[in-house]
Amino acid sequence: MSDNPFAPRPDLKVFLDGQIVPVDQAKISVFDHGLLYGDGVFEGIRSYNGRVFELDAHVQRLFDSAKAIRLTIPMSAQQIKDAIYQTMEANGLQDAYIRLVVTRGVGYLGLAPTRTANPSVFVITDQIELYPPELYREGMNIITVSTIRNHPNAMPPPIKSLNYLNNILAKIECVDAGALEAIMLNVDGLVAECTGDNVFIVRQGRLQTPSSDAGILPGITRAVVMRLAAQRGIDVQEKQLLRYDLYVADECFLTGTAAEVVPITQIDGRQIGDGKPGPITQQLLDDFKAATRGER
Ligand code: PMP
């Protein structure tokens, strides 16, 4: 592992199945269906100044994802919350990115979850900086990609499963094109979401975002931003959006736990608005920062 420049810090501690263990002992069986088939669920969470942001919403989404794939999580919601704080403490972290994962467990070499046992629950806490700070001041350029978002009747996007290949295929296109994030359309050609973020636009003072029936992960940051906008008296619409709507938007931004609120100033080579982060985006970015500090 030592010749891997992307290997985790060797002093990291991980919560695995009830215990805090050093990272080199945080191992999962090659027979775990989480690895063999991507059969499992996860959450990406964040803490600010020692307080885990929107913890109830994340734990609820984890249990919903698990229920949708008929996976019984072998811990209660409270035990999971305690494990998260325990892992942060073991690593001395106040501001952390938290990865909470539940695998299907070790099983027979066939697809059926009925031939597995002992789902594993683990929690990784570490630092994360997804994008460079100047992007939050100047805005980011993104593209739309040809990989379509999973059809909701094939692999429902609201299930935050360990199979992220749909998003990874889009990410590969995006990296090849030299962009940092990419917008995926659904099978009907409507805007769905980015590979790891939700999309918002501002049009004539109104905030617009694809509705959940576009086939998206209903982001927790998305919900927080919609609440913050309503508090400012900004009209919020969940509606069908075309690529055209993105191109003619006055403002655009992305939301996600890791990314937070990122202003978008170019899409597919078209300048958005005047090419600078817009006033509503700036306001919501400030309000979001305040919310992470527990001030809104
Ligand atoms: N869409 C996808 C596909 C994601 O993976 C994420 C990140 N979890 C989001 C949207 C944003 O969701 P959240 O705000 O809950 O992090």
Side-chain angles (χ1 to χ4, degrees):
M1 249 202 343
S2 57
D3 59 355
N4 179 353
F6 308 108
R9 282 190 359 237
D11 59 334
L12 214 61
K13 305 270 194 302
V14 176
F15 175 96
L16 174 60
D17 297 331
Q19 283 183 326
I20 298 284
V21 295
V23 70
D24 61 351
Q25 287 170 37
K27 302 244 161 90
I28 294 276
S29 167
V30 294
F31 287 91
D32 193 309
H33 281 209
L35 174 64
L36 288 174
Y37 299 118
D39 187 356
V41 294
F42 77 103
E43 279 297 316
I45 317 175
R46 223 163 143 147
S47 74
Y48 296 94
N49 203 15
R51 181 174 148 270
V52 181
F53 189 59
E54 293 289 316
L55 182 54
D56 287 344
H58 281 285
V59 171
Q60 181 63 53
R61 189 169 67 183
L62 181 83
F63 275 85
D64 288 347
S65 292
K67 186 168 187 183
I69 68 163
R70 294 179 64 175
L71 166 63
T72 305
I73 300 178
M75 289 170 72
S76 68
Q78 189 55 51
Q79 284 171 326
I80 285 184
K81 291 178 191 176
D82 292 345
I84 288 173
Y85 278 104
Q86 203 189 336
T87 317
M88 282 165 56
E89 200 182 311
N91 289 293
L93 288 169
Q94 296 279 309
D95 295 284
Y97 178 78
I98 299 149
R99 178 58 57 87
L100 167 61
V101 182
V102 186
T103 72
R104 181 71 73 177
V106 169
Y108 181 76
L109 283 176
L111 286 177
T114 43
R115 302 184 77 178
T116 63
N118 306 333
S120 270
V121 180
F122 60 89
V123 182
I124 301 169
T125 59
D126 205 351
Q127 271 140 353
I128 193 169
E129 190 190 273
L130 206 59
Y131 304 127
E134 60 268 21
L135 284 184
Y136 292 85
R137 293 190 299 272
E138 290 158 20
M140 191 161 96
N141 296 348
I142 59 170
I143 56 168
T144 56
V145 288
S146 67
T147 301
I148 62 168
R149 189 71 178 106
N150 279 333
H151 192 284
N153 283 335
M155 172 54 228
I159 301 176
K160 204 165 163 56
S161 88
L162 290 183
N163 193 322
Y164 248 53
L165 276 173
N166 178 220
N167 313 53
I168 290 166
L169 289 174
K171 191 77 179 190
I172 288 169
E173 284 190 67
C174 160
V175 171
D176 281 349
L180 291 173
E181 212 0 325
I183 293 179
M184 303 172 78
L185 308 177
N186 66 18
V187 72
D188 298 316
L190 301 167
V191 174
E193 60 180 337
C194 286
T195 66
D197 300 311
N198 292 112
V199 187
F200 284 84
I201 58 170
V202 176
R203 179 82 168 152
Q204 288 156 354
R206 288 203 170 111
L207 202 55
Q208 302 182 333
T209 193
S211 43
S212 55
D213 56 16
I216 60 167
L217 180 79
I220 288 164
T221 319
R222 174 182 180 271
V224 170
V225 164
M226 287 165 77
R227 192 188 76 218
L228 293 170
Q231 283 171 5
R232 288 270 170 205
I234 301 165
D235 191 22
V236 185
Q237 296 179 315
E238 289 179 80
K239 65 189 290 272
Q240 294 189 342
L241 293 179
L242 296 166
R243 218 171 353 196
Y244 163 82
D245 297 304
L246 304 177
Y247 295 160
V248 301
D250 302 323
E251 303 182 30
C252 177
F253 61 87
L254 310 182
T255 62
T257 295
E260 303 178 315
V261 176
V262 198
I264 300 302
T265 45
Q266 199 184 97
I267 305 176
D268 293 338
R270 277 107 173 143
Q271 177 177 294
I272 303 303
D274 63 1
K276 297 195 188 71
I280 292 182
T281 303
Q282 299 258 12
Q283 178 68 261
L284 292 172
L285 211 160
D286 291 346
D287 287 354
F288 184 77
K289 287 276 175 207
T292 64
R293 295 191 297 265
E295 292 164 14
R296 281 195 80 87

